[in-house]
Amino acid sequence: DLLHKVAGQDLDHSQCLVEDFMSPAPESSKAEHPLAYALHRMIISDIRYLPLVDEDDRPEGIISSRDVIAFMNGWFSNT
């Protein structure tokens, strides 16, 4: 959201509220979901970061596209 809605805009950042720019229902995943599910959500939603939430939808972590690439690089290097 920051890159698409804030960067390059002529805004007085001291007067801006996060809620004015944030997605109302951001994409998320659960930590116990398969990595393929998280990667799929990131690709179809065109996002680089995917929040991980618990059973009550409270944030408990985040996974980035770089995390996925690093994991896959390590996995392929070990096979």
Side-chain angles (χ1 to χ4, degrees):
D1 288 345
L2 181 66
L3 290 175
H4 295 286
K5 298 177 183 176
V6 178
Q9 301 295 319
D10 186 23
L11 302 170
D12 179 358
H13 297 120
S14 67
Q15 300 300 311
C16 296
L17 302 175
V18 173
E19 68 184 9
D20 294 335
F21 301 98
M22 63 185 255
S23 296
E27 193 69 51
S28 66
S29 182
K30 307 256 189 265
E32 62 271 9
H33 286 167
L35 181 59
Y37 175 82
L39 183 58
H40 177 74
R41 299 306 317 157
M42 293 168 81
I43 290 169
I44 65 168
S45 299
D46 193 27
I47 56 176
R48 286 177 250 184
Y49 299 92
L50 183 67
L52 301 176
V53 296
D54 65 13
E55 292 302 319
D56 296 317
D57 287 330
R58 291 182 303 222
E60 64 176 6
I62 193 162
I63 187 170
S64 73
S65 55
R66 287 184 183 198
D67 294 332
V68 175
I69 292 166
F71 174 80
M72 293 178 77
N73 184 42
W75 187 78
F76 284 119
S77 296
N78 293 325
T79 58

